[in-house]
Amino acid sequence: MKVSVITPNFNGEAHLEATLRSILQQREDGIDLEYLFIDGASKDRSMDIVGRYRDQIQHVVSEPDRGPHSAINKGLRLATGDLIAWLNADDLYHPHAIRRAIATMTAHPGRALCFGRCRIVNEQGDEVRHGITRFKEAFFPFSCRFLVQSINYISQPAIFFRRSVVQQIGFLREDMKAAWDYDYILRLWRHGGAIRIPGPEPIADFRWHPGSISGSHFKRQF
């Protein structure tokens, strides 16, 4: 099973290299990985960092865009994998994350997406906001659309979804400043539901900091 991972980026040099490595190291599991890096014409060192890994990245685009949802949509149009995910330029995958997602979706061919555990970390990589994470995980055994619509307990960095469903539902909404990923998860869910990736190990880390979309647009997102 081929997997496409998209990273949207704009001036994300601070954590970008760690993100790149966490994605590219998934190939150590023998994963057929298509990696797409979509940059919004960054003015920092982002493209210099990407240049060091250029031979491992299938698509690199750097041009002005309308924000991360615009960049991800470019990636969705280019992606050819059976499964697709996006990982922002300050988030991380844990070892074997993609292998575990493939195994889960292979075992449940009718599901539109799968999701796993996701830690919230700070700029130094230390886990924070434990209570929020534990609250979300408490709903994992009761996975259903009503709960995800009411509570939003799925963390975007830890989801993978089928390209065949993207072909049915289209792309991310670009008229939203925040919560467009939540909107997309709900739309995916309507076309086959979700399945949890088993195991106690996290799939990804979501980096929360004041400059992130969740940090700077919390009220609007909520």
Side-chain angles (χ1 to χ4, degrees):
M1 185 179 289
K2 183 178 182 179
V3 179
S4 299
V5 176
I6 303 161
T7 294
N9 177 72
F10 180 69
N11 292 340
E13 66 176 0
H15 305 289
L16 179 56
E17 189 154 18
T19 299
L20 293 174
R21 288 181 175 179
S22 78
I23 295 168
L24 296 173
Q25 286 174 355
Q26 302 293 316
R27 289 197 176 116
E28 295 176 3
D29 287 334
I31 301 301
D32 184 3
L33 171 65
E34 176 184 55
Y35 187 31
L36 306 94
F37 185 83
I38 314 295
D39 180 75
S42 291
K43 296 176 173 56
D44 64 359
R45 294 173 43 257
S46 290
M47 297 311 295
D48 294 333
I49 295 170
V50 169
R52 298 200 290 268
Y53 299 88
R54 183 63 185 87
D55 61 339
Q56 302 179 64
I57 304 174
Q58 282 62 55
H59 297 276
V60 174
V61 176
S62 183
E63 60 188 18
D65 58 34
R66 294 181 296 278
H69 37 34
S70 172
I72 295 164
N73 280 340
K74 291 178 186 179
L76 290 174
R77 291 182 173 94
L78 291 169
T80 62
D82 304 292
L83 293 183
I84 301 177
W86 76 80
L87 192 72
N88 295 320
D90 48 5
D91 298 336
L92 298 169
Y93 280 146
H94 281 249
H96 317 304
I98 295 181
R99 184 179 73 183
R100 292 169 60 198
I102 290 173
T104 301
M105 294 298 267
T106 299
H108 300 274
R111 300 293 188 177
L113 72 152
C114 64
F115 66 93
R117 294 189 60 228
C118 183
R119 304 191 313 164
I120 304 172
V121 302
N122 61 17
E123 292 182 275
Q124 291 72 44
D126 301 318
E127 187 173 5
V128 295
R129 310 183 100 191
H130 298 73
I132 293 174
T133 300
R134 302 300 171 259
F135 174 79
K136 288 185 173 184
E137 290 175 354
F139 292 93
F140 281 7
F142 310 104
S143 175
C144 70
R145 181 171 168 239
F146 171 77
L147 285 176
V148 75
Q149 185 168 335
S150 304
I151 298 172
N152 186 18
Y153 61 87
I154 294 179
S155 298
Q156 175 275 312
I159 71 166
F160 295 80
F161 50 93
R162 297 191 191 276
R163 184 163 63 94
S164 58
V165 179
V166 174
Q167 293 168 344
Q168 296 179 58
I169 69 172
F171 303 106
L172 299 169
R173 288 180 56 177
E174 297 188 20
D175 61 337
M176 300 175 74
K177 186 69 175 180
W180 37 264
D181 51 350
Y182 180 31
D183 169 81
Y184 203 66
I185 289 170
L186 291 174
R187 288 159 57 197
L188 288 166
W189 199 295
R190 293 187 188 109
H191 287 76
I195 186 71
R196 180 166 62 94
I197 300 171
E201 301 84 3
I203 291 294
D205 285 350
F206 165 71
R207 198 181 302 272
W208 192 95
H209 53 88
S212 66
I213 291 176
S214 296
S216 58
H217 297 289
F218 176 77
K219 290 183 179 178
R220 180 181 296 192
Q221 177 174 271
F222 186 78

